[in-house]
Structures are given as structure tokens and as C-alpha cells.
Amino acid sequence: KKVLLFGGIGLVGRHIHKVLKESYDVVITSKNHEVENGYKVDIEDIEFSMKIVKEENPDIVISSSNSPSRYSL
């Protein structure tokens, strides 16, 4: 199964990634940093965020982003 983890390099996201990568294919994103095998994206950019969701077609989407988004995916 595939997990898309928004905010995957932050404090909480790193711990979630560490646990999930043992059993899942985890794709991570970061707002401020380039991510190997992931995406640099601001979760508040809804069009690009949804494009990633459609491209990756994850079974699970997790947001550990600290961005105070008005939207939910």
C-alpha cells in the first residue's frame, strides 16, 4: 500500500515516516525543502496538492503539515 505524507520531514512527519516505511511505500512532501523521491509543495496550493494525490494514487493520505490550511484534501 502507498501512503502520501504531507509534511514528511517535520518533527511529527519524520516519526510517522520512520514507522510507516517498514510496511508501506511512503511518498513525502515538504513545504520548504527538496525531497528525494518526494515533492516540494505548499499544502495550501490546492491545485498542485491534488495533482500529486492524483498522480501518486495513494491508499492513505496523512497531513502532518503545520500549515494552517483552510482546506482539507
Side-chain angles (χ1 to χ4, degrees):
K1 291 195 174 212
K2 184 185 279 189
V3 176
L4 177 57
L5 176 58
F6 284 92
I9 66 168
L11 178 65
V12 174
R14 281 193 316 259
H15 291 286
I16 293 170
H17 182 237
K18 182 178 178 180
V19 171
L20 293 181
K21 71 180 183 180
E22 300 300 321
S23 303
Y24 297 91
D25 174 18
V26 183
V27 177
I28 62 174
T29 73
S30 172
K31 178 179 179 178
N32 299 312
H33 304 282
E34 295 294 329
V35 181
E36 186 177 336
N37 300 320
Y39 299 89
K40 181 178 178 184
V41 61
D42 182 345
I43 195 170
E44 292 193 33
D45 182 345
I46 297 303
E47 288 183 30
F48 189 51
S49 296
M50 290 306 298
K51 180 181 176 186
I52 294 169
V53 171
K54 288 176 184 175
E55 283 180 10
E56 292 296 335
N57 194 26
D59 298 291
I60 301 166
V61 177
I62 299 172
S63 175
S64 64
S65 169
N66 68 354
S67 199
S69 180
R70 301 176 303 268
Y71 310 101
S72 74
L73 299 171

